[in-house]
Amino acid sequence: LISNLLAVWAPGYGVLVLARIAAALCAAAITPVAAAVATMIVPPERTGAALGLVFGGIAISTVLGVPAGAFIGGMLDWRATFGLVAVLSLASLVAIYFCLPTRLVSPRRDLASLVSVLKDRPAVVAVSITALVMTAQFIPFSYAAVLFADALSATSAETFWLLFAFGAASAIGNHLGGVLSDRFTPHSVLLTGLVLLPGAIFASWFLSLGFWIGMAIMAVWGAIGCSFNAPQQARLARLR
């Protein structure tokens, strides 16, 4: 909330950059805590689905947040976009304060416990896999608009819908990844996704076949790529 208010009132570029760095650090701290809380307030057999909902929020923000921010920035100005994010942060703060159980307690940790985690080979391998998969997923996605322009000569509207297809399918993939982890095992869902993801990414070679083919490719890519999040988090929770 404070970081985004600072962005709203930033007097220059340097302060704005610092505000964005602060907001990124806060978001990075919130996400794992939200995942941990999700595993604490549901029965063990619902862990995968709960984590799917938590990480589905990231996908939903891709679907709604990016076009909404661009729309508000275009209609008003960029400060209004950060103002909206500050309002949403305040709403989240109020919801967390009043809706979450007040007696949630996790064991206190110190620096030594962090070092011990870094010595835990299964945990380090799991986190390394997460880093590799997310890198494989989002390096090519960073150039999606360029791909659309080169392969389809996509207009702004077409680019919007192609990205929307990716985001909407990502939300569905997040949820399905969690549900399937509960029905089967996180390990089996992870292996299936890892086998399918390279094919989904390489399918971008066929974007030139047309807009609707491109929509299908982006949807499959988003669904498979984001089905990874919930089962991996469930697997990490079971390694505790």
Side-chain angles (χ1 to χ4, degrees), residues 165-186:
F166 180 93
S170 296
I172 295 171
N174 263 295
H175 180 66
L176 285 179
V179 172
L180 292 173
S181 294
D182 292 333
R183 181 179 293 273
F184 302 103
T185 65

Side-chain angles (χ1 to χ4, degrees), residues 86-221:
V87 170
L88 294 175
S89 300
L90 177 61
S92 299
L93 179 64
V94 172
I96 289 169
Y97 182 82
F98 286 104
C99 297
L100 276 184
T102 57
R103 295 185 178 181
L104 289 177
V105 178
S106 61
R108 296 184 66 85
R109 305 295 185 189
D110 54 20
L111 186 59
S113 65
L114 175 60
V115 173
S116 69
V117 171
L118 295 176
K119 294 179 179 178
D120 185 339
R121 185 174 177 274
V124 171
V125 170
V127 172
S128 299
I129 292 172
T130 300
L132 288 171
V133 171
M134 291 297 99
T135 300
Q137 170 88 322
F138 286 106
I139 283 182
F141 181 73
S142 299
Y143 299 95
V146 177
L147 289 172
F148 302 153
D150 289 346
L152 293 170
S153 299
T155 63
S156 297
E158 289 173 334
T159 297
F160 168 84
W161 286 112
L162 287 163
L163 292 174
F164 183 89
F166 180 93
S170 296
I172 295 171
N174 263 295
H175 180 66
L176 285 179
V179 172
L180 292 173
S181 294
D182 292 333
R183 181 179 293 273
F184 302 103
T185 65
H187 187 72
S188 61
V189 177
L190 285 171
L191 285 179
T192 302
L194 289 173
V195 169
L196 295 176
L197 181 58
I201 294 175
F202 279 117
S204 61
W205 283 97
F206 300 99
L207 284 171
S208 58
L209 294 179
F211 174 74
W212 292 107
I213 297 293
M215 287 277 285
I217 290 171
M218 295 307 295
V220 171
W221 180 359

Side-chain angles (χ1 to χ4, degrees), residues 43-69:
E45 65 273 12
R46 296 282 296 164
T47 297
L51 289 169
L53 287 175
V54 170
F55 287 92
I58 299 173
I60 292 171
S61 72
T62 304
V63 177
L64 301 177
V66 174

